[in-house]
């Protein structure tokens, strides 16, 4: 578990260094590190938290609930901020909105999901008029099995969230992208695509680019993503080591 603290320090150092290599227009924001703890133990989360980590990402609703309601986590991790980064089925929405310290849902991929979140949030929020942070996930690699909205639907989905979903706060765009891209071939096309989508949104909707975050980059490519302007990297293995198999849990 001491290893987690060492890994975290190394990842944070690399993030800070990568941030110095950004173009100046991207240097308005210190990138946020989300420690992706899916399939990792409660002990691992506690170690990372003790080492100063606050933002954690989870992919599976049931697992997130179990961890978020774990008595040790509730007691020792009062400032934890949960990011949901997996597929969200509409029938699980009431469960997820009940998670204490839910910070954001990064994977809103269609109007209907946005509507259900928007309509349900008032029953769960702890303070009047607080909004639920969301990002819109884009399937930049256009792979059939990947989630996220199509590139051509991004503008209309973001517009819908901003104009019609007053209980949601649109925070930015998220992509997973294709695995195994070799950056020797140039900037990752998925990241470039996400950046272009942001440009389009800010032009067409008149939003300052600085108010549209980019969630991109994982263990294998977070430094590259940050150099291109990522504001939110989701890093699992590089912090916690290899993930246990799902069926062992
Ligand atoms: C698992 C996962 C990550 C982290 O992957 P690592 O390669 O372990 O860093 C990031 N984002 C999403 C959406 C994931 O499912």
């Amino acid at each position: 578990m001491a290893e987690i603290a060492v890994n975290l320090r190394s990842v944070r150092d690399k993030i800070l260094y990568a941030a110095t290599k950004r173009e100046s227009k991207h240097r308005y924001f210190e990138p946020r590190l989300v420690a992706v703890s899916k399939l990792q133990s409660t002990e691992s989360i506690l170690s990372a938290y003790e080492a100063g980590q606050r933002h954690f990402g989870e992919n599976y609703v049931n697992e997130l609930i179990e961890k978020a309601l774990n008595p040790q986590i509730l007691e020792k991790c009062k400032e934890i901020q949960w990011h949901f980064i997996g597929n969200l089925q509409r029938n699980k929405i009431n469960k997820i909105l009940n998670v204490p310290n839910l910070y954001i849902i990064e994977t809103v991929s269609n109007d209907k999901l946005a509507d259900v979140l928007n309509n349900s949030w008032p029953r769960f929020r702890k303070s009047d008029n607080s909004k639920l942070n969301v990002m819109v996930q884009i399937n930049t690699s256009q792979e059939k099995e990947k989630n996220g909205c199509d590139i051509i639907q991004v503008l209309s989905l973001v517009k819908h969230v901003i104009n019609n979903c007053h209980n949601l706060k649109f925070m930015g765009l998220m992509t997973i992208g294709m695995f195994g891209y070799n950056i020797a071939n140039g900037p990752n096309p998925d990241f470039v695509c996400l950046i272009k989508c942001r440009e389009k949104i800010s032009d067409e909707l008149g939003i300052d680019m600085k108010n549209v975050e980019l969630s991109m980059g994982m263990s294998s490519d977070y430094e590259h993503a940050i150099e291109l302007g990522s504001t939110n990297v989701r890093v699992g293995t590089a912090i916690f080591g290899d993930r246990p198999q799902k069926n062992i849990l």
Side-chain angles (χ1 to χ4, degrees):
M1 293 294 146
E3 210 172 309
I4 290 176
V6 173
N7 292 344
L8 255 177
R9 155 142 276 193
S10 148
V11 169
R12 285 200 199 113
D13 286 347
K14 287 178 184 167
I15 287 174
L16 289 178
Y17 182 62
T20 66
K21 298 207 243 165
R22 292 177 291 184
E23 281 180 55
S24 54
K25 67 173 178 187
H26 290 309
R27 286 198 205 146
Y28 59 90
F29 192 87
E30 186 171 311
R32 181 190 303 110
L33 172 61
V34 180
V36 177
S37 47
K38 65 173 179 230
L39 306 178
Q40 304 288 357
S41 65
T42 303
E43 289 71 36
S44 295
I45 295 174
L46 292 170
S47 304
Y49 188 91
E50 272 166 36
Q53 182 62 30
R54 291 296 177 266
H55 288 262
F56 289 79
E58 288 284 341
N59 281 57
Y60 308 104
V61 175
N62 291 340
E63 189 184 345
L64 170 56
I65 289 165
E66 211 170 287
K67 287 171 170 169
L69 295 177
N70 176 290
Q72 285 199 75
I73 294 200
L74 283 173
E75 187 200 320
K76 296 183 181 159
C77 309
K78 299 226 189 300
E79 293 170 16
I80 203 163
Q81 306 282 317
W82 293 108
H83 291 230
F84 186 73
I85 59 173
N87 268 348
L88 185 53
Q89 287 151 342
R90 268 180 272 150
N91 61 6
K92 297 258 174 86
I93 281 181
N94 286 347
K95 283 180 139 185
I96 202 165
L97 294 183
N98 219 359
V99 163
N101 295 326
L102 178 66
Y103 176 71
I104 191 168
I105 292 177
E106 295 199 15
T107 47
V108 173
S109 54
N110 57 71
D111 286 15
K112 276 197 169 148
L113 181 56
D115 287 338
V116 184
L117 288 168
N118 183 57
N119 293 333
S120 307
W121 182 236
R123 284 188 279 125
F124 294 91
R125 61 183 161 202
K126 302 282 185 293
S127 56
D128 285 355
N129 303 321
S130 83
K131 295 190 180 205
L132 174 67
N133 292 333
V134 297
M135 286 190 196
V136 163
Q137 180 181 5
I138 308 178
N139 185 1
T140 54
S141 53
Q142 297 174 290
E143 294 163 278
K144 277 203 190 68
E145 67 278 15
K146 285 243 162 79
N147 255 298
C149 78
D150 287 341
I151 297 164
I152 52 162
Q153 291 165 343
V154 175
L155 186 63
S156 103
L157 175 53
V158 172
K159 229 187 209 164
H160 178 70
V161 170
I162 293 177
N163 293 339
N164 305 329
C165 301
H166 296 288
N167 298 319
L168 306 182
K169 178 164 195 305
F170 171 68
M171 295 278 285
L173 305 173
M174 181 270 204
T175 184
I176 296 177
M178 208 174 286
F179 294 115
Y181 176 75
N182 181 357
I183 61 168
N185 299 323
N188 185 321
D190 287 301
F191 299 168
V192 173
C193 176
L194 205 68
I195 293 164
K196 287 220 175 95
C197 288
R198 175 169 70 173
E199 263 166 31
K200 182 160 179 193
I201 285 165
S202 61
D203 285 352
E204 305 247 349
L205 303 181
I207 318 174
D208 188 341
M209 268 198 351
K210 292 183 175 128
N211 295 326
V212 185
E213 286 202 33
L214 298 174
S215 174
M216 58 189 198
M218 322 201 321
S219 287
S220 57
D221 52 17
Y222 64 94
E223 294 160 273
H224 175 63
I226 285 173
E227 283 179 36
L228 293 177
S230 175
T231 65
N232 187 84
V233 289
R234 312 176 308 264
V235 178
T237 335
I239 296 171
F240 297 110
D242 285 338
R243 271 184 286 280
Q245 296 292 307
K246 187 161 166 55
N247 54 11
I248 296 175
L249 261 192

